[in-house]
Amino acid sequence: MRILYAEDERDLNDLVTRRLVAEGYGVDSCLDGRQAWDYLQAADYDAAILDIMMPGTDGLAVCRELRSVSDIPIILLTAKDSELDYVMGISQGSDDYLTKPFRPTILLMKVKALLRRVEMDRGKSAAAGGELYYGDIRYSATENAIFCGTVPVALTQTELRLLGYMMGQPEKAYSREELLNEVWGFGSEVETRVTDETLRRIRKKLLQAGSTVSVGTIWGFGYKLKGAGSV
C-alpha cells in the first residue's frame, strides 16, 4: 500500500517515513503542503498523513481539496491541542487526528487500522451482494455506496462504513465506544469526538441529499438512526 506523508519537521519526517517503510508501506514524503498536493494529483495513494502547520499550503487546505476528489483515509497532525483545530480538521473530511508530540507506534496503529478497514470493505463489496434499507436510504455492498432514492449520498469511506454499520440494526441505540471499536478498529487511543464529528457530517450530507433519515443523539450514551422507518 502507498502512503503520502507531508510533514515540515525534517527529523520527524525522516523518523516516521522510516517506520512506515519498515512496516512494508510504500511512502512518498514531502515537507510542505504545495508539494503534497502535487504528489496527490500525480499518483494514487491508499492513505494520506498531513501536518496541519506546513509552509506553502496548510494541511487543512490540502485535506479539503483531497476530500473533494478522493475518499482515501486522511490523518491530520498538529502541534496544537485545541478544540477548534480538532473540529476544523474533522469537518474538512479527515478520518482521524493526532496531536504532537506523538509516539510513532500510535500513528502506525491508526494507519494500520484505517487501511485494514478499507481492505475489509473492499473485500465485502467484492464478495457480497447484500443490501440494507432504512427509510428512503439504501446501502449496497456491491456498489459500496449509500443511496437516497436513486442518488448516491456523497460519503467518505469512513462515513459510509459508519452509516452502513448502523443500518445493520437500525432500531438499535449505539454507544460511542461501540462505534469506535467497530468502525475505526481501535478503542481508547481515539477520542469519541471523532465519532461525534463524523456523524455530524453524515447528518449534513443526508439533509443535503433530501433524505428523511437522520441520526439522533442519545445524550450521555450515543446515537440512533431516526426517520421514516425501515422499508
Side-chain angles (χ1 to χ4, degrees), residues 168-190:
Q169 297 183 66
E171 303 303 325
K172 176 181 175 179
Y174 293 88
S175 69
R176 291 174 172 86
E177 290 75 17
E178 177 183 353
L179 294 175
L180 280 173
N181 288 325
E182 296 297 331
V183 176
W184 277 264
F186 37 79
S188 60
E189 295 289 348
V190 184

Side-chain angles (χ1 to χ4, degrees), residues 112-122 124 157 161 180-186:
K112 287 180 179 179
L114 286 171
L115 290 175
R116 184 168 60 249
R117 290 289 168 171
V118 169
E119 284 299 293
M120 288 173 60
D121 290 346
R122 289 173 179 169
K124 289 177 183 177
Q157 283 299 304
R161 191 181 313 126
L180 280 173
N181 288 325
E182 296 297 331
V183 176
W184 277 264
F186 37 79

Side-chain angles (χ1 to χ4, degrees), residues 5-6 18 20 22 28 35 43 46 51 55 59 65-66 89-90 104-105 120 140 153 158 167 169 177 181 191 212 218:
Y5 175 45
R18 289 197 302 270
L20 289 168
D28 289 327
Q35 187 178 16
D46 297 289
D51 183 28
E65 292 298 321
L66 176 58
I90 298 296
T105 52
M120 288 173 60
S140 169
V153 183
T158 298
M167 287 176 68
Q169 297 183 66
E177 290 75 17
N181 288 325
E191 297 190 30
T212 59
I218 302 175

Side-chain angles (χ1 to χ4, degrees), residues 19 42 70 89 117 125 134 143 196 201 215 226:
R19 291 295 299 272
S70 174
R117 290 289 168 171
S125 296
Y134 183 75
E143 296 170 277
D196 298 338
R201 293 204 315 258
V215 182
K226 64 178 183 179

Side-chain angles (χ1 to χ4, degrees), residues 48-128:
I49 305 169
L50 307 171
D51 183 28
I52 289 182
M53 302 296 290
M54 289 189 293
T57 304
D58 65 65
L60 286 173
V62 177
C63 176
R64 183 172 58 252
E65 292 298 321
L66 176 58
R67 187 52 76 220
S68 70
V69 297
S70 174
D71 61 3
I72 66 169
I74 301 172
I75 298 175
L76 289 178
L77 309 175
T78 181
K80 295 182 178 179
D81 187 14
S82 75
E83 184 78 15
L84 179 60
D85 274 350
Y86 178 87
V87 171
M88 286 181 65
I90 298 296
S91 66
Q92 297 300 329
S94 72
D95 296 277
D96 203 357
Y97 182 98
L98 192 57
T99 301
K100 298 177 183 177
F102 59 83
R103 300 198 307 273
T105 52
I106 298 299
L107 178 59
L108 284 169
M109 180 192 73
K110 290 175 179 286
V111 169
K112 287 180 179 179
L114 286 171
L115 290 175
R116 184 168 60 249
R117 290 289 168 171
V118 169
E119 284 299 293
M120 288 173 60
D121 290 346
R122 289 173 179 169
K124 289 177 183 177
S125 296

